Amino acid sequence: MKIRNNAGAKAVVSALAAASLALASTAVALPGAQAAPAPAPAVQAAAAPSGAVPLTPEGAPQTIPGLASWTAADGEFTLGAGAKVIGANTVLSGDLAAQLSEVLGRTVGTAAAGAVAGDVVVAVDPSRSAELGKEGYGLVVGQTLKVTGATDTGAFYGTQTVAQLLVQGNRVARGTSVDVPEYAERGVGLCACQVTISLESLERTMKDMAYNKMNQLWLETKLKTEAYPKANFWAYYTAEEAAQITAWAKKYHIELVLEVNSPGHMRPWLYNYPELQLVNRNGQKKVEQLDISKPEAFDMVTRLADEYAAAFPGQPYWHMGGDEYMMGDSYANYPQFAAFVAAHPEIFPAGSGPGDVFIWFMNKVNAHVKSTGKTLRIWNDGVPSSSVIPLDKDIVVEHWLNSGPKPQALLDAGHDVQNSSQALYFNRPGGFTANVSNLWNSGWTPRKFDGGTVVTDVPGKGSVVGAKLSVWPDDTPSATENMMDARILDATRFVAQATWGSPRPVADYAGFTALAKNLGHAPGYESYDRTPVGDGGYRISTAGLSVNADGAGVSVSDAAAEKWTFTATSDNYYKIVAENGQCLAMAGGVLWLQAPMQQDLPPTLSTCATAGNANNLQKWEILEKDGGYLIRNAITQLPLSVNAAGALTQEAPDVRGAAAFALAGEVTTSIEAPARLVPGSPATITVTVDNRTPERMKGVKITPAVPAGWTLDRKQHVPGNIPAGAQEVATFTATPPAGAGYGDSSIAATTTYQAGTVKQSVTSTATTLLSCSDAPVRPVAAIVDSYNNGGGEVTPGSNAIDGDPGTFWGTAWTPSNAPLPHTITVDLGSAMDICAVNLLPRQGSSAGAANGRIKGWELYVADTADAPGAKVTEGNFPNEAGLQTVSLPSPATGRFVTLKALSEQNGNPWTTLAEFTVDAAAAADPAVAGGGTGG
């Protein structure tokens, strides 16, 4: 694991976007209800994509990565209404058929032969190996859509192209392509180091990698070991889990690069083996560092390598790390190294120093790894810039930091080099987040390394083998793994494009992110329901015992069960709140990267948080298990179970099986309405009643309520009864009057019913915004008083109108700060009647994401860009990252809207803004004045 010093601001990419629905829900318990898990609702077939697949600037169908070549032909392929996947390889054809079934919303059949027009064909032809190599494929779009690989892997990548095409539409321009990657390694790196990444997340990652033709997953992780049993404390994977990971890698044509970082960053292994820890001249033990002057050090590293090789068979590499061994320290503090050199003149030539001991150790490990048929990999920064003993040339070096030997020097010396630049780093909490738009705009390729060095391969010596992005858990509770999955989405697609090396499928980065969003995740990405229970109250029990709050903790007993309120989070977990208002959380114990990973640690109750580490430690996964539910903390990835003393604790599931919890549910109701409504226009209101109990609801009536002056198409929906475990959905059409004022309006629905002999009533409400447009208008240009253009960060005003919440306009901070006030003027392209503006602050989870967040502000509307025009409103924003919508006191007509930032939430001189849109309608009197615009 690497510890990175982050100097300077970093742009933070976020998946946050404005919500499209207003949603509220209410729950009420049925008397005495004891519910088994409610059955999952029926899955409705998705509408099959239709229309023509968009084309690249070169005229090829769009994919990520783009096709390496394209020869166009006349006409289009049209997917048949009953199209099948035809191919003799039943694995390839069956897997593609399963993906297309997800895409098309119907079961797609397969056959070994007999393709007709409109079918998809998958073939393997080894005679084309010289042309296609191991991973390339040929694509022929004609009467059928056919992909051919010289190997199963090449054909598999062809099937992923087919999936991407048919996600976009059912018609594809005819033509042919030979699509072969430029780089052999196209990777993602996940550090499951001192933490565990769930198997579910790993599988999703591999599915998405395959979908984008990425072929290498690096995992720094811990395996439950027989050789060093005292290291078998959480977090680790068992041999059975390693076998599952290996099977997925084979299925998705991904090679695994396993790492035990050594001889530095070894705390997970050395914590209970102090005799192997490096000791400095003052007698202080270093729990992170292995003493490589001891023979036991070599034994530990190689025995672990052998155990991993057995657990993850068939992988070509072993990664020993080798980075940051002396980070913040010096060999001079460890006299045993000089003594070791002096004691072994047969190893160390004259002039050798402590750094040569490090090289000798790596070379010795390399000899062992080669003897097992594998190739050793290391990080670059631990290699001394000069040494008497040379590093073995057959070691692959992964270059991440502009320190130590330069990448060109490594190539010249005969090393193959992977570009693992820290420009492609992500970490928790987000101090490192790849600035993908800058990488795109700068034309980054795997040949451009950290520090800006651009290299060339050396024939007969070393070559650049590819690149990877890396994800590190430096402050584990600062982000959940689902948050990180979302954060790396665009960067994953970018690395896939850069390492495949083909022409870009779109002209600019905004188009690339739009294409990535349109392609989405791999079909079948969600293999299970991540939020299997609805929001509401539940009584929790296991093995007949109730789970209740007990002071600041939780007890398991035969006492009457209390109600816990479950609320799904935006990143697919749950907050679980006791009747006393406290949130279930994990805290305390031994911390690993700030996370409470200690086994047999009881959960606690704490004040419910809305942000930061405390918030994430209060998130829980609910997974179906043995007719009940497993409850697992989102950060520690340890499930809850009852120990021998009868206490509820988190524990490794191979030590004590996860408990299956029963959840006794409630009746819940929710109401959905469009986030925006235009006065005079009808809108659909949806009310859902969910009976999660084992009892039938009788005499059900659903009655909506709207503001005065609105009209409803009907006054009530009367379903009568709702069976146990079933839902009832009612829709109403509501229309606000044409002259209604703009602003928030409340819509409600009351459900009445009888449970046994008791009559119940529950009301849900939703808020919608009455506005002059049903969707925000995106400006065509922006003019700002200042933007940053230094220190590697460029944040122009155009970032605030690009539709990407991950970019932002930021006033200058390098080399000096531009003073307040700051202005951004947006051009709507023509005069419009403006009723509101929508402002999204800079997004991200790092501390720097709050920099520049606007506090005091004024808003102006003008006909020209020459002057700000008339002030229409002013105010102060709360210190929040959510979308801020400002409704004007009365509509204003103009083409240009100016936001003037008067102050910043923390008193700083900066202003930042992620997105600026306007609610506006065509002007009744479209007298448009001119006015120049710019970035």
Side-chain angles (χ1 to χ4, degrees):
M1 189 199 76
K2 293 181 171 50
I3 304 297
R4 289 156 299 282
N5 296 315
N6 184 18
K10 298 284 182 181
V12 178
V13 178
S14 170
L16 185 65
S20 61
L21 291 176
L23 171 64
S25 65
T26 310
V28 62
L30 282 175
Q34 292 295 320
V43 178
Q44 295 183 346
S50 62
V53 174
L55 303 180
T56 71
E58 289 76 25
Q62 286 187 352
T63 57
I64 296 176
L67 297 173
S69 68
W70 181 251
T71 302
D74 293 334
E76 288 183 324
F77 161 84
T78 300
L79 184 70
K84 295 181 178 180
V85 178
I86 310 299
N89 186 312
T90 56
V91 173
L92 290 170
S93 59
D95 287 349
L96 178 57
Q99 286 186 295
L100 295 184
S101 296
E102 292 274 347
V103 173
L104 302 176
R106 65 173 176 84
T107 300
V108 175
T110 63
V116 298
D119 279 345
V120 175
V121 181
V122 182
V124 178
D125 183 359
S127 70
R128 297 184 65 179
S129 60
E131 175 191 18
L132 301 177
K134 177 184 175 182
E135 296 183 303
Y137 64 95
L139 170 67
V140 178
V141 185
Q143 289 191 337
T144 62
L145 186 57
K146 181 177 182 179
V147 291
T148 304
T151 66
D152 287 2
T153 298
F156 173 78
Y157 287 140
T159 67
Q160 300 312 291
T161 292
V162 170
Q164 287 197 7
L165 293 174
L166 298 181
V167 160
Q168 300 175 79
N170 65 340
R171 305 196 324 271
V172 185
R174 291 192 179 191
T176 60
S177 174
V178 173
D179 197 19
V180 180
E182 179 178 357
Y183 293 95
E185 296 181 358
R186 307 177 300 280
V188 170
L190 300 177
C191 188
C193 39
Q194 304 187 35
V195 300
T196 289
I197 298 172
S198 71
L199 291 184
E200 294 86 356
S201 180
L202 283 178
E203 185 187 17
R204 289 195 299 269
T205 296
M206 285 192 266
K207 287 179 179 179
D208 251 9
M209 288 175 63
Y211 188 50
N212 294 278
K213 304 183 181 69
M214 303 182 80
N215 67 349
Q216 187 184 87
L217 177 62
W218 166 87
L219 282 174
E220 180 183 339
T221 190
K222 190 175 178 184
L223 180 71
K224 190 171 185 180
T225 172
E226 295 181 2
Y228 296 92
K230 288 190 291 185
N232 289 334
F233 52 86
W234 198 254
Y236 55 74
Y237 294 116
T238 64
E240 293 76 17
E241 288 169 327
Q244 178 62 80
I245 295 167
T246 304
W248 282 331
K250 181 178 180 180
K251 174 182 175 68
Y252 299 117
H253 296 263
I254 290 169
E255 69 181 17
L256 299 172
V257 177
L258 284 307
E259 175 183 333
V260 169
N261 205 342
S262 58
H265 292 306
M266 291 198 73
R267 183 181 181 225
W269 301 100
L270 300 180
Y271 189 76
N272 288 328
Y273 288 94
E275 67 275 15
L276 298 179
Q277 296 171 12
L278 190 61
V279 181
N280 67 15
R281 64 170 65 250
N282 296 319
Q284 295 174 322
K285 291 183 178 292
K286 301 293 184 175
V287 69
E288 294 279 358
Q289 293 153 286
L290 179 69
D291 188 347
I292 59 177
S293 69
K294 294 182 176 182
E296 295 86 355
F298 176 78
D299 292 342
M300 171 174 261
V301 171
T302 54
R303 289 178 72 183
L304 290 175
D306 292 346
E307 282 194 292
Y308 276 70
F312 298 91
Q315 308 308 317
Y317 297 105
W318 173 250
H319 201 308
M320 69 171 288
D323 66 307
E324 298 176 331
Y325 185 49
M326 284 290 145
M327 184 179 65
D329 210 335
S330 170
Y331 282 109
N333 292 324
Y334 302 92
Q336 60 265 51
F337 291 120
F340 187 75
V341 170
H344 294 282
E346 76 283 3
I347 299 174
F348 300 103
S352 295
D356 289 284
V357 179
F358 187 83
I359 296 294
W360 163 81
F361 186 79
M362 285 190 166
N363 289 346
K364 188 176 181 183
V365 173
N366 182 43
H368 176 84
V369 169
K370 286 193 294 185
S371 73
T372 67
K374 296 184 183 293
T375 299
L376 185 66
R377 303 175 78 105
I378 63 171
W379 299 105
N380 75 291
D381 62 297
V383 181
S385 296
S386 61
S387 61
V388 175
I389 297 178
L391 183 70
D392 288 348
K393 296 178 181 181
D394 51 9
I395 297 175
V396 178
V397 179
E398 299 191 4
H399 191 282
W400 74 279
L401 181 66
N402 187 28
S403 173
K406 302 299 182 185
Q408 189 64 61
L410 291 168
L411 294 168
D412 293 343
H415 296 282
D416 285 340
V417 179
Q418 184 192 74
N419 191 336
S420 305
S421 171
Q422 63 177 334
L424 295 170
Y425 269 29
F426 292 82
N427 77 338
R428 309 184 200 185
F432 275 81
T433 296
N435 190 330
V436 187
S437 62
N438 277 8
L439 293 170
W440 175 282
N441 293 330
S442 68
W444 186 92
T445 78
R447 298 188 181 281
K448 186 174 183 179
F449 285 78
D450 187 58
T453 301
V454 177
V455 302
T456 57
D457 291 349
V458 182
K461 292 188 176 181
S463 63
V464 176
V465 292
K468 74 163 176 274
L469 65 87
S470 305
V471 184
W472 303 88
D474 296 356
D475 182 9
T476 302
S478 65
T480 64
E481 62 185 23
N482 290 349
M483 291 167 66
M484 295 306 298
D485 288 347
R487 192 176 294 168
I488 69 173
L489 189 146
D490 287 340
T492 303
R493 277 70 181 161
F494 171 77
V495 173
Q497 175 62 49
T499 52
W500 196 262
S502 55
R504 290 176 169 181
V506 291
D508 55 32
Y509 184 64
F512 186 74
T513 57
L515 175 58
K517 182 177 180 180
N518 191 28
L519 294 175
H521 290 294
Y525 178 80
E526 299 286 4
S527 59
Y528 67 100
D529 188 355
R530 289 203 260 176
T531 50
V533 300
D535 289 2
Y538 295 88
R539 286 168 172 79
I540 307 173
S541 62
T542 181
L545 300 176
S546 300
V547 178
N548 293 323
D550 185 4
V554 179
S555 67
V556 180
S557 70
D558 57 4
E562 71 169 85
K563 184 179 76 174
W564 298 80
T565 300
F566 286 47
T567 305
T569 66
S570 61
D571 52 344
N572 293 315
Y573 300 99
Y574 290 89
K575 286 293 195 76
I576 303 177
V577 184
E579 288 183 359
N580 63 12
Q582 299 276 290
C583 274
L584 189 69
M586 290 308 307
V590 178
L591 301 182
W592 292 82
L593 298 180
Q594 291 71 58
M597 309 296 291
Q598 181 176 316
Q599 293 172 234
D600 206 31
L601 183 70
T604 64
L605 293 174
S606 58
T607 301
C608 294
T610 58
N613 291 21
N615 177 49
N616 291 325
L617 285 165
Q618 293 170 352
K619 294 178 181 178
W620 298 86
E621 287 184 280
I622 309 296
L623 304 174
E624 295 184 50
K625 171 184 170 60
D626 299 336
Y629 296 96
L630 175 152
I631 301 176
R632 183 172 71 191
N633 187 260
I635 296 300
T636 69
Q637 288 298 310
L638 283 165
L640 296 180
S641 57
V642 179
N643 67 14
L648 187 69
T649 66
Q650 66 175 12
E651 183 55 275
D654 65 302
V655 174
R656 186 174 70 231
F661 292 93
L663 304 179
E666 295 183 321
V667 171
T668 64
T669 68
S670 64
I671 182 169
E672 296 181 19
R676 297 167 179 274
L677 289 177
V678 176
S681 299
T684 298
I685 310 301
T686 303
V687 181
T688 302
V689 180
D690 188 356
N691 181 8
R692 302 196 199 103
T693 77
E695 298 185 18
R696 181 177 60 171
M697 298 170 62
K698 303 175 183 177
V700 181
K701 297 179 181 179
I702 303 171
T703 306
V706 294
W710 290 42
T711 61
L712 282 166
D713 64 332
R714 55 184 176 141
K715 294 182 178 180
Q716 199 172 61
H717 175 68
V718 184
N721 298 328
I722 302 178
Q727 284 186 344
E728 180 71 19
V729 178
T731 58
F732 303 88
T733 300
T735 306
Y742 300 134
D744 289 339
S745 293
S746 180
I747 300 170
T750 299
T751 301
T752 58
Y753 62 97
Q754 185 169 316
T757 60
V758 180
K759 291 185 177 180
Q760 302 275 9
S761 176
V762 59
T763 299
S764 297
T765 60
T767 300
T768 187
L769 176 69
L770 285 184
S771 182
C772 54
S773 62
D774 58 5
V777 175
R778 188 165 304 286
V780 298
I783 308 168
V784 297
D785 72 302
S786 165
Y787 69 92
N788 195 71
N789 189 14
E793 296 280 0
V794 182
T795 57
S798 57
N799 282 358
I801 60 170
D802 63 1
D804 181 2
T807 64
F808 65 93
W809 161 55
T811 57
W813 68 81
T814 301
S816 60
N817 297 321
L820 287 161
H822 297 299
T823 59
I824 178 171
T825 300
V826 296
D827 179 5
L828 302 181
S830 63
M832 304 188 79
D833 290 335
I834 301 161
C835 62
V837 298
N838 310 287
L839 305 168
L840 182 68
R842 175 183 172 184
Q843 300 298 294
S845 59
S846 70
N851 289 341
R853 191 175 291 167
I854 298 169
K855 184 178 181 181
W857 53 270
E858 296 173 344
L859 200 67
Y860 298 80
V861 174
D863 293 327
T864 73
D866 300 331
K871 181 165 69 173
V872 292
T873 188
E874 62 186 335
N876 290 291
F877 287 135
N879 190 8
E880 299 173 355
L883 183 72
Q884 307 288 342
T885 294
V886 178
S887 295
L888 274 57
S890 59
T893 301
R895 173 176 171 178
F896 297 90
V897 182
T898 297
L899 172 69
K900 179 184 285 188
L902 305 177
S903 59
E904 194 251 15
Q905 293 289 346
N906 295 310
N908 295 309
W910 314 303
T911 294
T912 57
L913 189 66
E915 289 297 308
F916 189 151
T917 59
V918 179
D919 286 9
D925 181 14
V928 181
T933 62

